[in-house]
Structures are given as C-alpha cells and as structure tokens.
Amino acid sequence: MRIAAFLLALVAGLPALAEEVVLGLSKDTVSINTSFDGSEILIFGAVKREAPIQDDPRLQVIVTVSGPVETFTVRRKEKRFGIWVNTDAVEVDSAPSFYAVSSSTVLGLSISDTEDLRHKVSIPRAIRSVGAPDTIADATRFTDALIRIKSRSNQYQLNEGTVSVDEQTLFRTAIELPAALTEGDYQTRIFLTRGGEVISQYETSIYVRKVGLERWLFRLSRENALMYGLMSLAIAIGAGWAASAVFRMFRA
C-alpha cells in the first residue's frame, strides 16, 4: 500500500512522504471492572524514512488520546443575598470526555497555531463551543472553566516534554488513564513535526469497555431504568438498616 502511494506520488509529480510513523501500543483494549482504579498505555514507535535524517529543524513528536465526544453544560455561580445561585449557562457542543496531549518539547514549539487549528491538537482546539447565548459576552471563560474542572480530575492532560525521541527515529511515551473513563473508542493520533509544521500523522484507536458487574450495571441503567432505580433504592435502604443495626449493637 505504501509502495503504491509512493509510486502514485511520483507519477503525479508530487513529493512522497520522506518520514512516516510506524506505531506500537502496549495494549489496544482497556477493561473497566468494579476494582478499576486507572491504567497506563505505553505508546511507542519509529520513523520510517525515504531520505536521510534532517538535523535542522529537529523532528518533534506529538501524541494525543481522545475519548468519546460529549455535550457539557457549564454554569456560572454568583453569590446573591448570601446564597450561591446559578446565573448564566453555556452548552459546550462537543468536548472529549478524556483528552491527553503529550509532546517531545513545549507544545507551542512543536506545532504552529495554524497547524494546531487545522489538526485540533491542543486541548482548547479539541473543544467546540459555538452555541453561547448573545447575552453572554465572555463565553470563552466557560470553556476555560470546563478545561480547569476536567484537568483537576486528570481527564484533561497536557504533558509537555514527556515523549522521548532517540536519534530522531525511535519515540515512546506513557499516557495515564484515570479511573473515571467513558466507554468507547479512544482515538490515538501521532504527529511528526518540523519547524512547527506537520509532516506526517498516524491514527489508531484504543477501545475502553466495561466488564463483569460494572458492565451489567451499566447496561441495566440504560436498558431498564426503572429496575435500576428500584434496585438502587433497595440497596440504599438495606445499607441504612444494616448501619442502624450495627449502631444499636454497639450501644447495647
């Protein structure tokens, strides 16, 4: 396939890609059960070349891992008459449930603003929010608030300087996945850049799934909400009764 693309480029009078990504993953499936407390994905690979290594500008590598896209409503709270109340609200149309970007150096030196806008690499570029009411002049602050909240829970990560690149050929990095993960495909992208310009990219995916009791509860909550609610109520009542019984036993 790559040989055919190379020959096609020559026939069309276009330059073939001088550097391409050859990727590897330590695992392509993450299973979530009741004891799941996070995981780590090792991403490694090499650069395949059709030309000698270029020393200047040096090769940089950027890796992004993006979870399923969701819609979020971000609300602003203000203190009025001594009580905190919700005032304005903005719906973020499209934001990844998890997003990590790792780079071999400072992200701003690895990719230009134009390329970042084109490929949506940085965290702010990965979020789409265009439906803010006209009455809200500072809509970007709501997106910033979402990024802060997700960053505190380690669901949004900016890991600069964590991609190791050896001899501009071999690269590796590790992405930490938190315990609170949404089930689905996690798009993984690798960018090779020089002088801030993307010269090659590669895409694959990691599948995150719930298994065992976690999977059964998840499906029950989606397919039979009434049964799930009744079961949750019964468990809460049972737990309350058990705690009361233990308390009475210690008081006796």
Side-chain angles (χ1 to χ4, degrees):
M1 182 67 72
R2 286 174 178 162
I3 295 176
F6 176 74
L7 293 175
L8 182 61
L10 291 179
V11 172
L14 299 174
L17 289 176
E19 296 173 301
E20 294 181 86
V21 179
V22 181
L23 177 70
L25 296 171
S26 61
K27 62 176 90 171
D28 59 8
T29 301
V30 176
S31 298
I32 302 176
N33 53 29
T34 52
S35 61
F36 179 78
D37 60 355
S39 183
E40 186 178 74
I41 299 293
L42 177 62
I43 300 173
F44 56 92
V47 180
K48 179 183 177 182
R49 290 187 171 86
E50 301 289 348
I53 296 177
Q54 179 181 342
D55 290 328
D56 187 32
R58 290 189 63 82
L59 178 75
Q60 304 296 339
V61 180
I62 304 172
V63 178
T64 69
V65 178
S66 178
V69 172
E70 298 178 347
T71 299
F72 295 91
T73 300
V74 183
R75 294 180 171 85
R76 174 156 49 200
K77 290 181 177 292
E78 293 183 2
K79 197 171 186 179
R80 296 182 177 178
F81 306 106
I83 302 175
W84 287 99
V85 297
N86 292 325
T87 54
D88 300 324
V90 169
E91 184 174 277
V92 178
D93 309 89
S94 175
S97 57
F98 170 85
Y99 194 79
V101 52
S102 300
S103 58
S104 53
T105 186
V106 177
L107 187 61
L109 299 178
S110 299
I111 189 167
S112 66
D113 290 338
T114 302
E115 292 287 78
D116 186 15
L117 179 61
R118 178 181 298 133
H119 297 281
K120 296 178 173 56
V121 174
S122 64
I123 295 175
R125 296 296 189 190
I127 298 173
R128 178 177 178 269
S129 180
V130 296
D134 295 335
T135 55
I136 299 178
D138 56 347
T140 56
R141 296 186 61 183
F142 289 79
T143 302
D144 295 340
L146 174 64
I147 293 174
R148 287 197 304 271
I149 294 170
K150 301 285 276 185
S151 298
R152 283 199 293 265
S153 60
N154 208 31
Q155 292 176 316
Y156 282 0
Q157 304 173 17
L158 174 58
N159 308 311
E160 296 176 309
T162 58
V163 180
S164 299
V165 183
D166 299 330
E167 302 296 330
Q168 299 195 68
T169 301
L170 303 176
F171 64 87
R172 65 188 180 278
T173 189
I175 302 293
E176 181 183 350
L177 301 178
L181 287 179
T182 301
E183 187 177 44
D185 286 320
Y186 282 60
Q187 183 186 36
T188 303
R189 299 182 297 166
I190 293 87
F191 297 93
L192 302 182
T193 69
R194 285 189 184 275
E197 303 297 315
V198 175
I199 59 175
S200 179
Q201 70 177 94
Y202 182 94
E203 293 187 13
T204 185
S205 61
I206 301 167
Y207 183 59
V208 174
R209 63 176 182 174
K210 294 179 171 65
V211 297
L213 178 61
E214 186 79 9
R215 176 67 177 173
W216 182 77
L217 290 174
F218 176 79
R219 293 188 61 182
L220 182 64
S221 66
R222 295 297 188 273
E223 299 173 3
N224 196 332
L226 177 60
M227 180 62 70
Y228 180 80
L230 292 175
M231 186 181 70
S232 300
L233 180 61
I235 292 175
I237 294 174
W241 178 86
S244 177
V246 171
F247 182 73
R248 286 198 303 270
M249 181 180 67
F250 279 103
R251 289 191 61 185

